Amino acid sequence: MAESVASAAVENMTNQAMECASPYLRYFFCYGQIVQDFTNQRNALKLRKQRVDTRVDEAKRQIEVIYEDVEDWLKRAEKELEQTQNLQDEIDRVKCFKWCPQWGWRYCLSKKLAEKTPIISKLLQTSNFAQVGSGGSLQGIEFITSTHFMDSKSSKSALNQIMEAMKAVNMIGLYGMPGVGKTTLAQEVGKHAGERKLFDKVVMFTMSQNPNINSIQDKVADVFGLKFQTSSREGRAEELFKSMQRVNKILVIVDDLWEEFELKIIGIPFGDDHKGCKILLTTRRQQVCTKMNCQKEIQLGILSEDEAWVLFRDQAGLEGNSSALNNEAKKVAAQCKGLPLAIVVVAKAVKGEGLDLNGWKAVNQRFKDSRHLDNEDFGDVLQPLKLSYDYLKKGNNQMTENDIQICFLLCSLFPEDTEIPIEILIMCGIGVGLFPNANSIEDKRNEMVMALKKLQKSGLLLGTDDAKRIRMHDVVRDFAHWLTSTGENRFMVKDKLKKWPDMVESFECYTAIALWNCSSNIKFPDKVEFSKLKTLFLKGEWKWRRDDFLVVSSTFFEEMKALQVLFLQHVSFSAKRFPSLPNLKTLCCVRCELKIFPSSLTNLEILALFETKIFGISEKLVKLPTLKYLRLSGVQFYEESEIKIHPSLLSRLTSLQELHVHSQNTINLLELNSLSCLTALSLRLSTDQFSQEDFVFPKLQMYTIVVNEHFSYESALRTLKICNFPSSFSAFNNLFYNVEKLKLQNVRGQKNIVPSIGEMGVNELTSLELESCYDMEFLTVITRDQGPSVAFSNLVELYIQSMGSLKGLCYGHSPTRFLQNLKQVIIKKCCDKLKTIFTTCQALSMLHLQELTIRYCDKVEQVIGFVQEEEIIENDCPFCCWPKLEILRIKFCQWLKYVYVNTSTLGRQSLKSVSIESCPEFIQFFNMEQNKYGQHILHRGLGSQESFVNLTHLELTSIALLNFKYLFSEFTARTLEHLKFLMIRDCSFLEHLIEEVEKVDEIYVSNMKNHYPLFWPKLESVHIEYCENLKYLCSSTLAQRLPNLNCISILDCPRLIQVFNMETNKDDFELQNHCWPKLETLDIVNCQILKYVLPNTLLNVPFLQYLTVINCPQFSCFIVQAPLIKELVLRDVGNSHQLCNIDVHVLNKDCIVVGNHEEVFQVQGGYSFSSIKELYLTNLLEVRIIWNDFAQVVTLNNLTSLKVSDCKKLRYIFSPTNARSLSRLMYLCIKGCDELEQIILAKDQVSSSSSNADIGLQPLSFPNLTQIIVTNCGNLKSLFPFGFVPVLPKLESLELKRNSKLEQVFKLENEVEMAGEEETKFDKLERLTLEELPSLIHFCPKGCHFVLPALIELEVKDCPKLTTSFFVDSQKFVHCITKIPQLVKQDAIEETVTDAIFNKNINWSHWGGSQLPHIT
């Protein structure tokens, strides 16, 4: 007692002394109290700020203006929390110092905390705000309605892209053709943004072609509750600018923007002026998005056929889908081709008209004839298209105002839905005189390409998968036809013409005519007045016979004096001379027949023959003095196998600018140097044509030259393909300097590309393919004395195969910008001398590499390495190689050890797919040796965590990985948030996927768990095969965090104990019943000691369809709830003779028991497992019942195949109830089931309490069962009950063997025997086998007569008690009858049978073998 009083007195005196003494002593001795005060005050400030922030956010949502003192307090509170965060971190980091004599540190920290605590206290005292703001204005979302939005595939995709883009960028462009629904979609975006409260304000306004700025400013001001104080446009813009800056998050939707526009003119802050302001603009022209610097450009596509019909039906007020009237209406909807505006306008035009079937047919015909465009009811379709068309004239300084419009109209001449070749369009455009200011063919081509791109971006043309083709939407095409239906520039376009059109008016008014797929039976008039016709497209109907042409006489063209473009396809000239067409500039023939050469066309500039049959290229070609473009592609000759061009013929075509000959030819290459105007050349050549040693190709702007290889069209403008070429490359010297695509195959004498081939460094080369060039050692050889300073600077694709002498990519110093733009590298079969593919310098310069593939390179040891050993020591700091690498494939490299011999962060966050296969020496991605400071260079395992954060696909097959027991470190595993596909095959080292860390910094682990929880949200597929040491995949914690898992497949892992380790649960997640909501496939095969999949008793997999467990004898009870199961395979599962003791009944759920249990399917609810199609059960020693069907109905109406084998304790297969649901069962196989007494349980064995007992009264039938096999079932006495209705109408094969107690195949359902004259046919039964059945008495029941008309094989062996006889009739139909002496009628039948066979062996075939008795 005295001691405690003394202690209290001492403490009281100490505290008083501290209060009286200098505060500096308090920093030493009251450290704990100071820390506690600071922590409490800081936490209170943090909570108070959160509450004030919440009130401010609510006020802003109510469009209130926040008071300045509130904003000032929030700023000061935020500043204090930021400034004191480091103090809090220091407290947390070194809590152990509380018990350590670090007095200097304590003093400094105490002083800082004591100074900050009063400041925080004062902030808390001044935080009691009665209100945080005042005022308000209208929400802009109230003005945005989205009532016509249709959730189509294209609009939904665009909507999702926009909403996702808003999270990352500030300017989004939505573009698409007129009428596609851009405005409606933009309204829907505004509606979504408002409903989800993503923005404080949403405002939408329309710019149009001539925007009204004042009106737009008024609209925006209303949304922000602003009353303008000034009247000038500039003053209003400034007011609006400042008002919007006060709102944190704003969405501005700028609709129908036609050209680049400065939003500040309206008063909208953006970019650095307001980083919380997001802009969504809509436009018809993609180039507007580009000019507005949109960070994301999204195209809105058209509707699908089904979506178009739904929209049309709803807008037209139609009902149902099946009537003939609606079928005709569907045709009308289809004519709108998925364009929402056209669909809505047309539907509204016909709505309420009460159209009958003929009325809809008339509307459909009007569409086909394009007459609907003349009707004012359809003006809304034309208006936006006409506006876009007229707008093409604006801003075309380099084009005449009509050039781009004529280019658009030319596209409308082609058939509906045709992908139009751009080169054909270019030839036609040049022919009609487009872009006269462009001098050369190449310049005109560039202008045409620019025009087509502008039309595409304007929404009037559509792109295709082929960059060399474009397409025109059908509604836009109809619009173009409407434009050209009147006036001076009139077009006629007809398709599938069967006869020459009857015209009330003259043909004279047409300037362009296109007649497509004309019947060969058409009789063309001899002469028609076509005085204004400038363009004619004529195509015959395509037929299987290539020589079936549309025949046209030359007189048909005689009155076409103004014709400038003639395009012919499947046409043959019957005349002896080509018609005289003095103004023709372009002649293009595709698959035609020209018996005469067009030499009379004195103004012809373009001659193109595609797969056309001609007599030859004669001297008459010289009579075309203005010819600038000559193309001969796939040309055939009547008498010659190659194009024979007479000597000196080409050299006289002095105006020729482009020459394209893609067939074998006899061109004298020296003549090319006489063509001073030549700029483009594409030729197929052979080695023999390079006999002149002094020949050098002229310098060209565009070329594709193929030597000793078939010609193929290339996307590159300048291509060289040289194969099997032993000669010098001097002929190509003028081409190597600007070649874009180069392929060298089996060329000799070249040890490098630079400088031997390309002295200037081939810096325009984008694609290089090298194959079987056995003398080549390097791509470049650069020394201090020779070689270019820059080489391969624009190379994008590199393909190397079978290069036996290749030692590396560069010898000597790497040139500047060497491989800096390389994106794809494929290296195959470079086996002999290549050990290191890239040096470190080369790898560091490849900043754009996206895909790397290496295959069959046996000598390669490392992908990236140093040239000299000492460089490794000098450069042991981490490098970042290939920051954009996405795909890495390495296969069949026998000596590969590392991807990088030194440290690296490979791909950083870009790597998405990794596949490494059959690299038995592969150790790891990076060398783990220590550097000179004794530090580990990299994280252990597959790689550093930074390298795989975006990995989606990982495939590892037959690799060693330094015998690591795990694949990922724990920290790397926690970053794999994007992983979708994981396959590990034949990796003997692997024991588990993820490293189990035992001794690590607890604080670091805690932070890692908070920032990177072990969660693989996108993983869909896991495949593990032939991993002989695998013990488990990962912890059960991760197993519960795989929401998208679709497939698990584990094969041949003999040491696998559990799929997910139940003993390891690092995040302390308590395990209970588990669900994989998207799992469809689960396969586990040949895992001999596997006991568990999950520690859960019940696995809920609502979409599981395929479950296979084979050869897992130690498998413990595994219960699966899978109502949609389609295929179940269980073989050798849980045969440890230790019966699973889990009481499945208490689960009260429909489930499948995988393991050593008496029941396979546990049924608690009605109509369970109705989706199952295939069921295979093998060697399940304890199974007694497959379906417990006493209480509820199990419907098996989808079951097609059932095989039960070696289930020794199984007593029956089906109950009467589920047997009657087997309408689709086709295959039934039962083998080795020793205790099986019945396939179908007898009715008297079913509990009378069953609610479905009355169903047993229904007749039994298996309408689709085709094959039955029953063998080695020692207790089985009969197969099927038999009634008056045929039970097996489609049975084709019945095989019964070694069933020792089988007495009857078909047993009567009641004891009354059938009359002898009762006859039953098995019309499909072809094969019947009864073998080693010592107890069998009846095949067919007593008194039954079976007829087997289709039987072709019958085998009866060792059935001594069989009383059924077999015989054939005159039609070779087999009959079966069981003798009943007491029945007179039966005796009468048997009197007609000679030597009836009972209990004898039979081996009968329809084609021969044992003889059966005949019926007389």
Side-chain angles (χ1 to χ4, degrees), residues 720-722 729-730 732-733 735-782 786-788 790-795 797-801 803 805-811 815 818-819:
L720 283 176
K721 292 186 176 182
I722 306 172
F729 279 13
S730 59
F732 304 96
N733 284 346
L735 306 181
F736 283 131
Y737 83 99
N738 66 352
V739 64
E740 290 184 352
K741 184 169 185 177
L742 175 62
K743 177 181 178 180
L744 301 178
Q745 180 178 349
N746 195 23
V747 298
R748 297 285 183 175
Q750 306 296 331
K751 291 192 173 183
N752 55 72
I753 302 292
V754 177
S756 296
I757 295 176
E759 295 182 357
M760 303 303 295
V762 289
N763 286 302
E764 294 193 32
L765 188 68
T766 60
S767 176
L768 175 61
E769 182 176 346
L770 303 174
E771 183 176 352
S772 302
C773 301
Y774 295 109
D775 294 331
M776 191 166 294
E777 298 178 348
F778 299 94
L779 298 187
T780 63
V781 175
I782 307 297
Q786 64 175 7
V790 181
F792 294 103
S793 59
N794 283 302
L795 190 66
E797 300 173 353
L798 176 61
Y799 180 91
I800 300 175
Q801 179 173 344
M803 302 283 286
S805 298
L806 192 68
K807 298 179 180 179
L809 301 184
C810 178
Y811 179 81
F818 183 60
L819 306 178

Side-chain angles (χ1 to χ4, degrees), residues 500-554:
W500 185 253
D502 297 326
M503 301 294 296
V504 177
E505 55 195 3
S506 171
F507 286 96
E508 186 178 359
C509 59
Y510 291 102
T511 59
I513 294 177
L515 306 177
W516 299 100
N517 300 305
C518 300
S519 171
S520 57
N521 299 323
I522 291 181
K523 293 182 179 180
F524 285 85
D526 290 337
K527 289 186 179 181
V528 183
E529 186 67 28
F530 290 109
S531 60
K532 294 183 179 180
L533 189 65
K534 295 181 179 180
T535 303
L536 175 62
F537 288 9
L538 187 60
K539 178 187 177 184
E541 187 178 13
W542 185 87
K543 296 182 179 180
W544 286 105
R545 289 179 57 192
R546 297 293 298 272
D547 57 350
D548 193 357
F549 296 100
L550 177 67
V551 179
V552 182
S553 65
S554 62

Side-chain angles (χ1 to χ4, degrees), residues 584-649:
L584 191 68
K585 292 185 177 181
T586 296
L587 173 61
C588 181
C589 300
V590 181
R591 302 187 187 95
C592 292
E593 188 179 61
L594 300 179
K595 296 181 180 178
I596 51 175
F597 196 80
S599 59
S600 59
L601 308 175
T602 55
N603 286 311
L604 192 68
E605 294 184 359
I606 296 178
L607 174 60
L609 306 179
F610 297 88
E611 300 180 42
T612 293
K613 199 172 185 179
I614 60 177
F615 269 107
I617 306 297
S618 66
E619 289 284 338
K620 295 180 180 180
L621 190 64
V622 183
K623 297 181 179 180
L624 304 176
T626 59
L627 192 66
K628 298 179 180 180
Y629 180 109
L630 176 61
R631 180 180 288 271
L632 305 173
S633 299
V635 174
Q636 303 173 10
F637 297 90
Y638 286 96
E639 300 175 352
E640 301 165 345
S641 60
E642 61 182 0
I643 299 178
K644 290 189 176 181
I645 298 178
H646 294 276
S648 73
L649 180 60

Side-chain angles (χ1 to χ4, degrees), residues 722-982:
I722 306 172
C723 304
N724 305 313
F725 195 74
S727 306
S728 168
F729 279 13
S730 59
F732 304 96
N733 284 346
N734 285 332
L735 306 181
F736 283 131
Y737 83 99
N738 66 352
V739 64
E740 290 184 352
K741 184 169 185 177
L742 175 62
K743 177 181 178 180
L744 301 178
Q745 180 178 349
N746 195 23
V747 298
R748 297 285 183 175
Q750 306 296 331
K751 291 192 173 183
N752 55 72
I753 302 292
V754 177
S756 296
I757 295 176
E759 295 182 357
M760 303 303 295
V762 289
N763 286 302
E764 294 193 32
L765 188 68
T766 60
S767 176
L768 175 61
E769 182 176 346
L770 303 174
E771 183 176 352
S772 302
C773 301
Y774 295 109
D775 294 331
M776 191 166 294
E777 298 178 348
F778 299 94
L779 298 187
T780 63
V781 175
I782 307 297
T783 64
R784 290 183 174 87
D785 300 329
Q786 64 175 7
S789 59
V790 181
F792 294 103
S793 59
N794 283 302
L795 190 66
V796 175
E797 300 173 353
L798 176 61
Y799 180 91
I800 300 175
Q801 179 173 344
S802 301
M803 302 283 286
S805 298
L806 192 68
K807 298 179 180 179
L809 301 184
C810 178
Y811 179 81
H813 298 282
S814 294
T816 304
R817 300 199 297 274
F818 183 60
L819 306 178
Q820 67 173 6
N821 284 304
L822 198 60
K823 293 183 179 180
Q824 183 186 53
V825 177
I826 300 175
I827 301 177
K828 297 181 181 179
K829 300 179 181 179
C830 298
C831 306
D832 298 335
K833 299 181 180 180
L834 188 64
K835 293 186 177 181
T836 299
I837 297 177
F838 305 104
T839 67
T840 301
C841 293
Q842 293 165 5
L844 289 173
S845 68
M846 296 161 60
L847 300 177
H848 299 282
L849 186 66
Q850 297 176 2
E851 181 178 347
L852 174 61
T853 300
I854 305 170
R855 294 181 179 177
Y856 298 100
C857 296
D858 289 342
K859 299 298 182 181
V860 170
E861 296 180 1
Q862 55 202 22
V863 178
I864 306 172
F866 289 95
V867 177
Q868 297 180 354
E869 191 69 27
E870 57 269 18
E871 291 184 80
I872 301 176
I873 299 175
E874 295 174 1
N875 295 276
D876 56 6
C877 58
F879 292 114
C880 174
C881 292
W882 305 333
K884 296 184 179 180
L885 184 68
E886 295 182 359
I887 300 173
L888 176 64
R889 303 186 191 96
I890 304 176
K891 298 186 178 183
F892 302 99
C893 296
Q894 297 298 317
W895 292 101
L896 181 70
K897 295 181 179 179
Y898 311 107
V899 173
Y900 194 6
V901 74
N902 200 23
T903 61
S904 171
T905 303
L906 184 66
R908 294 185 68 86
Q909 299 182 1
S910 63
L911 198 59
K912 294 181 179 179
S913 177
V914 175
S915 178
I916 302 177
E917 180 178 351
S918 297
C919 300
E921 299 298 321
F922 188 75
I923 297 176
Q924 63 185 100
F925 270 87
F926 318 110
N927 191 332
M928 274 190 56
E929 294 180 2
Q930 295 180 342
N931 61 17
K932 60 186 178 182
Y933 302 107
Q935 299 169 331
H936 282 291
I937 290 174
L938 262 200
H939 294 271
R940 298 177 61 189
L942 188 60
S944 70
Q945 61 192 48
E946 294 183 358
S947 298
F948 302 104
V949 292
N950 284 305
L951 192 69
T952 62
H953 181 110
L954 177 60
E955 181 178 350
L956 302 177
T957 302
S958 301
I959 60 174
L961 279 179
L962 198 60
N963 295 321
F964 280 172
K965 296 180 180 180
Y966 59 88
L967 191 61
F968 304 109
S969 70
E970 179 177 0
F971 306 123
T972 299
R974 291 178 181 273
T975 64
L976 298 175
E977 295 182 0
H978 299 279
L979 188 65
K980 292 183 178 181
F981 179 88
L982 176 64

Side-chain angles (χ1 to χ4, degrees), residues 1371-1408:
Q1371 297 177 293
K1372 286 195 173 183
F1373 289 178
V1374 176
H1375 296 250
C1376 309
I1377 185 171
T1378 300
K1379 184 177 181 180
I1380 308 176
Q1382 65 270 29
L1383 292 178
V1384 178
K1385 291 184 180 181
Q1386 184 70 14
D1387 292 337
I1389 292 176
E1390 293 198 4
E1391 288 177 358
T1392 63
V1393 180
T1394 306
D1395 298 327
I1397 296 179
F1398 302 95
N1399 65 32
K1400 293 183 180 180
N1401 291 346
I1402 302 171
N1403 188 8
W1404 176 86
S1405 171
H1406 188 78
W1407 303 283

Side-chain angles (χ1 to χ4, degrees), residues 688-711:
D688 296 338
Q689 291 172 276
F690 290 86
S691 57
Q692 303 92 343
E693 295 183 0
D694 56 344
F695 167 73
V696 178
F697 282 102
K699 289 186 177 181
L700 301 166
Q701 296 178 13
M702 183 175 68
Y703 54 85
T704 299
I705 297 174
V706 175
V707 182
N708 297 325
E709 192 179 57
H710 291 290
F711 194 92

Side-chain angles (χ1 to χ4, degrees), residues 1016-1241:
W1016 291 354
K1018 297 182 180 180
L1019 187 65
E1020 296 176 0
S1021 184
V1022 177
H1023 296 267
I1024 311 291
E1025 301 178 21
Y1026 310 113
C1027 295
E1028 61 184 35
N1029 283 304
L1030 184 70
K1031 294 181 179 179
Y1032 59 88
L1033 297 189
C1034 55
S1035 70
S1036 52
T1037 301
L1038 179 59
Q1040 299 175 83
R1041 296 171 178 177
L1042 306 173
N1044 283 298
L1045 190 63
N1046 179 267
C1047 175
I1048 300 178
S1049 178
I1050 304 175
L1051 309 179
D1052 295 285
C1053 297
R1055 289 180 173 83
L1056 186 72
I1057 300 175
Q1058 45 195 340
V1059 178
F1060 297 98
N1061 186 8
M1062 68 173 62
E1063 297 176 359
T1064 304
N1065 185 15
K1066 288 199 172 292
D1067 287 355
D1068 302 322
F1069 194 96
E1070 186 176 352
L1071 300 175
Q1072 295 179 0
N1073 293 348
H1074 177 64
C1075 176
W1076 279 323
K1078 295 185 179 180
L1079 189 70
E1080 294 183 1
T1081 302
L1082 174 59
D1083 294 336
I1084 304 175
V1085 179
N1086 294 335
C1087 299
Q1088 286 80 3
I1089 64 172
L1090 177 66
K1091 292 185 177 181
Y1092 310 105
V1093 173
L1094 268 173
N1096 307 58
T1097 300
L1098 177 66
L1099 176 63
N1100 183 9
V1101 277
F1103 292 99
L1104 186 70
Q1105 298 182 29
Y1106 307 97
L1107 172 59
T1108 300
V1109 182
I1110 296 176
N1111 193 20
C1112 299
Q1114 303 299 320
F1115 206 87
S1116 181
C1117 185
F1118 178 46
I1119 302 174
V1120 180
Q1121 188 178 0
L1124 299 180
I1125 189 75
K1126 290 183 178 180
E1127 180 179 315
L1128 175 63
V1129 180
L1130 301 179
R1131 187 174 75 198
D1132 296 298
V1133 180
N1135 294 336
S1136 62
H1137 300 284
Q1138 181 180 354
L1139 185 65
C1140 174
N1141 56 8
I1142 293 178
D1143 187 359
V1144 180
H1145 297 275
V1146 302
L1147 296 175
N1148 195 27
K1149 294 183 181 294
D1150 300 333
C1151 55
I1152 301 170
V1153 182
V1154 182
N1156 208 9
H1157 197 265
E1158 293 184 355
E1159 298 176 8
V1160 177
F1161 292 90
Q1162 170 64 34
V1163 182
Q1164 295 292 334
Y1167 302 96
S1168 302
F1169 309 111
S1170 60
S1171 298
I1172 193 164
K1173 292 183 177 181
E1174 299 181 25
L1175 175 62
Y1176 305 100
L1177 306 176
T1178 302
N1179 201 23
L1180 304 180
L1181 300 182
E1182 299 297 334
V1183 169
R1184 299 174 183 269
I1185 300 172
I1186 299 177
W1187 291 277
N1188 182 351
D1189 191 30
F1190 292 147
Q1192 299 290 338
V1193 176
V1194 174
T1195 56
L1196 306 174
N1197 52 311
N1198 285 303
L1199 186 66
T1200 60
S1201 298
L1202 172 62
K1203 181 177 180 180
V1204 181
S1205 179
D1206 296 315
C1207 295
K1208 304 299 183 181
K1209 296 182 180 180
L1210 186 66
R1211 294 175 294 177
Y1212 66 90
I1213 306 294
F1214 306 109
S1215 71
T1217 301
N1218 54 40
R1220 282 169 170 80
S1221 67
L1222 299 171
S1223 59
R1224 289 184 172 86
L1225 185 65
M1226 300 175 64
Y1227 174 77
L1228 176 63
C1229 179
I1230 306 171
K1231 296 182 178 181
C1233 297
D1234 294 345
E1235 296 186 14
L1236 187 71
E1237 298 178 357
Q1238 301 170 358
I1239 294 177
I1240 300 173
L1241 196 65

